[in-house]
């Protein structure tokens, strides 16, 4: 392993330790849902199945916690440790990503920055950060799910100014797309910070936590704040209505 690789692994391990410390304080029962590590060969198999190279920090994360497991009962016996129903394990990553990609239906009249600018201006689409709102984009890998309504993606085809592998929260029903963090490590650090804030003063944290269910999936969503506001990469785009 190179020094760079060792440093990435160390930072991911530290970030997960911070998340676990926060959960131990505010939602200790949720820790039981964290899965153990995935073998390297299993992570390699995900890449082969999806024909993608996962970011090194996400690979390192799977080798610490291979997703989460809410268990066989509904509702789950324990609250979720994340603001989703679950983080995908390696099997679910492949399954959910294939389902996501199966929904890809290229529409040149709609998959256009000019149309996206129009939809944002008319409050029919909510974009926060450098993300292209393409449902089923083949340049994404699904890594988390909330009842099939909200997903977390690793985005390998970001809009201008974005970072390949950035973490995106997508709520298709609400037409909301939020870049949560430029990398998986930074997502974990952000989440750990908000857990710590919640432990000190719940009103100061963007997290809302039901101690029977877990954190609300709206964490880090800006749909209400970004209503009618274009992200920087769309600022100078001439809007075009897709209805004319």
């Amino acid at each position: 392993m190179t020094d760079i690789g060792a440093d990435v692994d160390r930072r991911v391990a530290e970030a997960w330790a911070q998340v676990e410390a926060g959960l131990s304080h505010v939602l200790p029962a949720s820790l039981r849902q964290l899965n153990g590590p995935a073998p390297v060969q299993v992570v390699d198999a995900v890449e082969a199945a999806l024909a993608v190279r996962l970011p090194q920090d996400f690979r390192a994360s799977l080798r610490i916690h291979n997703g989460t497991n809410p268990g066989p009962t509904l509702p789950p016996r324990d609250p979720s440790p994340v603001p989703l129903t679950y983080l995908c394990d390696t099997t679910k990553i492949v399954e959910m990503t294939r389902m996501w990609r199966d929904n890809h239906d290229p529409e040149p009249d709609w998959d256009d920055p000019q149309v996206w600018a129009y939809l944002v201006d008319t409050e029919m689409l909510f974009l926060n950060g450098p993300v292209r709102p393409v449902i089923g984009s083949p340049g994404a890998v699904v890594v988390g799910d909330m009842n099939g309504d909200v997903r977390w993606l690793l985005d390998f085809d970001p809009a201008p100014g974005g970072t390949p592998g950035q973490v995106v929260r997508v709520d298709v029903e609400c037409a909301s797309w939020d870049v949560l963090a430029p990398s998986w490590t930074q997502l974990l650090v952000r989440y750990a910070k908000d857990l710590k804030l919640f432990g000190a003063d719940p009103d100061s944290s963007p997290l809302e936590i039901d101690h029977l269910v877990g954190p609300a999936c709206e964490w880090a969503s800006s749909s209400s704040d970004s209503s009618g506001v274009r992200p920087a990469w769309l600022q100078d785009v001439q809007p075009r209505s897709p209805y004319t």
Side-chain angles (χ1 to χ4, degrees):
M1 180 183 295
T2 65
D3 289 340
I4 293 176
D7 186 56
V8 169
D9 287 2
R10 175 184 58 80
R11 282 183 280 131
V12 173
E14 290 174 349
W16 263 118
Q18 293 169 14
V19 170
E20 291 171 33
L23 291 172
S24 295
H25 183 53
V26 302
L27 208 58
S30 71
L31 292 169
R32 290 190 285 266
Q33 286 197 26
L34 293 173
N35 288 333
V40 172
Q41 298 89 335
V42 173
V43 180
D44 291 342
V46 172
E47 295 185 330
L50 298 177
V52 67
R53 178 65 177 171
L54 296 171
Q56 185 176 342
D57 63 344
F58 188 70
R59 286 179 56 93
S61 181
L62 289 172
R63 298 199 309 271
I64 297 171
H65 292 300
N66 186 14
T68 64
N69 183 5
T73 62
L74 292 175
R77 178 175 57 107
D78 298 317
S80 174
V82 293
L84 295 164
T85 305
Y86 57 82
L87 290 180
C88 296
D89 62 14
T90 48
T91 299
K92 277 289 186 182
I93 289 172
V94 174
E95 175 187 332
M96 297 295 290
T97 300
R98 285 174 172 168
M99 290 175 60
W100 169 261
R101 293 177 179 178
D102 285 345
N103 288 320
H104 185 49
D105 183 17
E107 298 185 78
D109 288 338
W110 287 79
D111 295 339
D112 181 330
Q114 289 185 300
V115 173
W116 298 334
Y118 171 85
L119 295 176
V120 171
D121 291 347
T122 55
E123 301 184 12
M124 299 173 67
L125 175 67
F126 307 94
L127 296 181
N128 175 36
V131 56
R132 307 178 200 273
V134 179
I135 296 173
S137 167
V141 170
V142 180
V143 297
D145 179 78
M146 180 69 181
N147 297 329
D149 298 321
V150 176
R151 295 177 181 89
W152 284 4
L153 312 176
L154 299 182
D155 177 15
F156 297 99
D157 184 28
T163 304
Q166 65 189 7
V167 188
V168 175
R169 177 190 183 277
V170 179
D171 184 335
V172 173
E173 184 175 349
C174 293
S176 174
W177 300 68
D178 296 272
V179 177
L180 302 182
S183 71
W184 187 255
T185 304
Q186 288 169 280
L187 173 80
L188 293 175
V189 170
R190 178 181 184 181
Y191 186 48
K193 178 182 177 182
D194 288 344
L195 284 168
K196 185 175 181 180
L197 285 172
F198 187 91
D201 177 11
D203 292 335
S204 69
S205 172
L207 282 165
E208 295 182 11
I209 296 179
D210 182 320
H211 285 78
L212 296 178
V213 178
C217 71
E218 287 80 10
W219 176 70
S221 170
S222 65
S223 59
S224 59
D225 298 330
S226 62
S227 179
V229 179
R230 297 191 199 179
W233 67 280
L234 274 182
Q235 285 296 324
D236 298 325
V237 174
Q238 181 67 32
R240 175 178 68 82
S241 171
Y243 304 109
T244 57

